[in-house]
Amino acid sequence: MSSLALLAEIRQSSERLPYEVLKLAEPLLNNNQLTSSTEDAWLVYEQVFLAALDEGQIDLAKSLLHILRTRFPASQRVKRLYGLVNEAAGHPDESQNLYAEITSADPTNVLALKRVIALLKAQGKLALAANELVAYLDTHGNDFEAWLELSHLYLAHHMYRQAAFCLEEVILQQPANHYFHLCYAEINYSMGQWDIALKEYLRVVELSTDNVRGFYGIKVTADRIIEMLASGARAGKSRREPQALSGLENVPQVPVLEKLSLLATERLVAAYSANNAAAAPAKALEDWLKQ
Amino acid sequence: MTASNASDGLKTVAKAVAVVAFVCMLHSGYAAREFLLYSKSIGRQDLTLPIEIVLECLGALGVMIFAVVLGVGELKPVSYEAEMKRYSIDGVFSRPSFQVYNHRGRYLRPSRPAEPAAKD
């Protein structure tokens, strides 16, 4: 595959691989292969620019930004990149002024609004960033990326209930993406909402094939619920009153839970033996499953 | 290499077949028009098209559908799961608009893998 195609793939997956991007782009830049006739040339320039900032190569970033600026002199998107250079070079105040300038000229510039929030995050003012993000989401409620960011800001403060709410919004917009269901399940597990966690883990393995993290979740959650029900039954018997257990309102019957746990065990063993995984982790896994 | 050459050859053949089938369709349309004009001029009452013209048109259409499908580029799997396989969990949770740049990246690899391009 050509390096341009690889770069496009990295761009589309939105993974942050600055070192790989720079390595792929180096021959293109040195041989002047990136001309305006190349497909997506300007997107590649922006991508390499961001990778250079991530790697701390400010000079390279500035030379690329100069090229972009000469091509798009009036672009707000390029203007925002100047703010990024200042952020990477350690001048957050200048970036802030620039973003304020962009947003006062065009209050609907979503990218600049998000940068303001990211800048607060970069300065460590997470609570302030969360407040700003809530205000931003008031007007841009269909921005799933922002909901995801807010969810992670809440997670940084261990505010699981709020984080779960944000992920619910994300799932509403992308219901078929199993990674969001997985994260939602894990947050619910952390909160002790076993019933929702189990349901969401099951959704994860429904939406993907042999998702190991999902099956681990099913096994852990199902075993946990069985354990809680057993101890709850004991407590109820001794006290002669059914004890209301939070997070266990809508769980399936114990036989079903046992079957789920067994199924997860089977699939985990199959997944690890199919991939020719190293013997030691597979052995550790089997020991853990047999507990 | 040979596999891609073989599929390239197949694609060229399929495209040629599609063009021929398209010409056949045009021909059947022309024949139908000629038939109707002729029928009217000799005052024939029954204006249904003869079976050869209909068969030519439908046959050419069927061949063209297959040839076009074979002749286009690679088809992608249609399921959402196959699409999701291309994305990793890091990519899905990366949130590019909120990335911060005052991180330790500049100290990780000071050797500089890429130098600034020699551009004016």
Side-chain angles (χ1 to χ4, degrees), chain A residues 48-62:
Chain A
V48 179
F49 166 81
L50 294 174
L53 285 190
D54 266 337
E55 286 286 323
Q57 302 189 20
I58 307 286
D59 298 338
L60 172 62
K62 277 183 179 161

Side-chain angles (χ1 to χ4, degrees), chain A residues 60-268:
Chain A
L60 172 62
K62 277 183 179 161
S63 72
L64 291 169
L65 188 53
H66 180 69
I67 297 168
L68 282 170
R69 188 70 180 177
T70 40
R71 173 65 184 77
F72 305 102
S75 163
Q76 297 291 312
R77 184 167 165 176
V78 173
K79 209 169 171 189
R80 184 187 73 111
L81 299 183
Y82 278 97
L84 293 184
V85 171
N86 278 332
E87 277 185 50
H91 312 299
D93 295 337
E94 286 169 32
S95 308
Q96 203 155 19
N97 293 338
L98 183 72
Y99 300 143
E101 189 188 312
I102 297 177
T103 48
S104 65
D106 174 15
T108 58
N109 191 320
V110 176
L111 288 173
L113 286 172
K114 286 184 182 177
R115 278 328 296 176
V116 174
I117 296 162
L119 200 56
L120 288 173
K121 200 175 78 164
Q123 291 165 339
K125 301 172 184 163
L126 293 188
L128 206 55
N131 279 341
E132 288 289 315
L133 201 47
V134 169
Y136 167 84
L137 281 168
D138 236 14
T139 37
H140 303 89
N142 58 351
D143 186 344
F144 88 92
E145 192 190 10
W147 281 113
L148 205 56
E149 178 67 31
L150 185 58
S151 169
H152 280 77
L153 284 176
Y154 280 134
L155 280 183
H157 289 101
H158 307 286
M159 294 165 75
Y160 294 124
R161 196 170 297 280
Q162 287 81 353
F165 177 84
C166 299
L167 264 178
E168 281 163 17
E169 292 283 341
V170 175
I171 289 174
L172 271 180
Q173 290 176 37
Q174 300 207 355
N177 189 326
H178 62 272
Y179 294 124
F180 298 143
H181 287 282
L182 189 62
C183 192
Y184 185 55
E186 282 160 356
I187 293 173
N188 272 296
Y189 186 90
S190 311
M191 278 198 293
Q193 299 278 350
W194 318 110
D195 46 354
I196 303 177
L198 182 64
K199 217 185 269 183
E200 286 297 317
Y201 278 127
L202 289 171
R203 175 75 72 209
V204 172
V205 298
E206 184 191 357
L207 290 171
S208 56
T209 317
D210 275 354
N211 189 305
V212 178
R213 206 158 144 181
F215 278 118
Y216 268 123
I218 291 176
K219 177 153 177 62
V220 172
T221 319
D223 289 352
R224 184 73 196 241
I225 293 173
I226 294 171
E227 196 182 297
M228 301 271 291
L229 286 176
S231 68
R234 273 200 302 277
K237 231 177 250 168
S238 60
R239 272 193 238 156
R240 290 275 155 212
E241 58 185 37
Q243 192 182 5
L245 289 165
S246 69
L248 293 176
E249 284 87 7
N250 299 313
V251 292
Q253 300 291 313
V254 173
V256 179
L257 289 170
E258 279 167 356
K259 273 188 196 159
L260 281 177
S261 172
L262 204 63
L263 173 78
T265 311
E266 263 179 44
R267 291 316 307 159
L268 280 174

Side-chain angles (χ1 to χ4, degrees), chain A residues 12-16 19 26 32 45 50 54-57 60 67 88 114-115 118 121-122 145-146 149 152 176-177 179-180 207-209 213, chain B residues 80-81 84-103 105-106 109 112-120:
Chain A
Q12 215 190 358
S13 77
S14 71
E15 263 182 75
R16 200 172 186 179
Y19 185 64
E26 192 185 1
N32 282 327
Y45 273 125
L50 294 174
D54 266 337
E55 286 286 323
Q57 302 189 20
L60 172 62
I67 297 168
K114 286 184 182 177
R115 278 328 296 176
K121 200 175 78 164
E145 192 190 10
E149 178 67 31
H152 280 77
N177 189 326
Y179 294 124
F180 298 143
L207 290 171
S208 56
T209 317
R213 206 158 144 181
Chain B
Y80 191 77
E81 205 188 317
M84 279 308 296
K85 276 221 166 69
R86 296 171 49 230
Y87 294 91
S88 69
I89 195 160
D90 294 335
V92 168
F93 284 104
S94 72
R95 312 188 295 281
S97 333
F98 291 103
Q99 281 169 354
V100 297
Y101 291 94
N102 58 348
H103 52 69
R106 74 196 86 156
R109 282 179 282 270
R112 307 208 160 200
E115 286 300 316
K119 282 209 168 95
D120 49 337

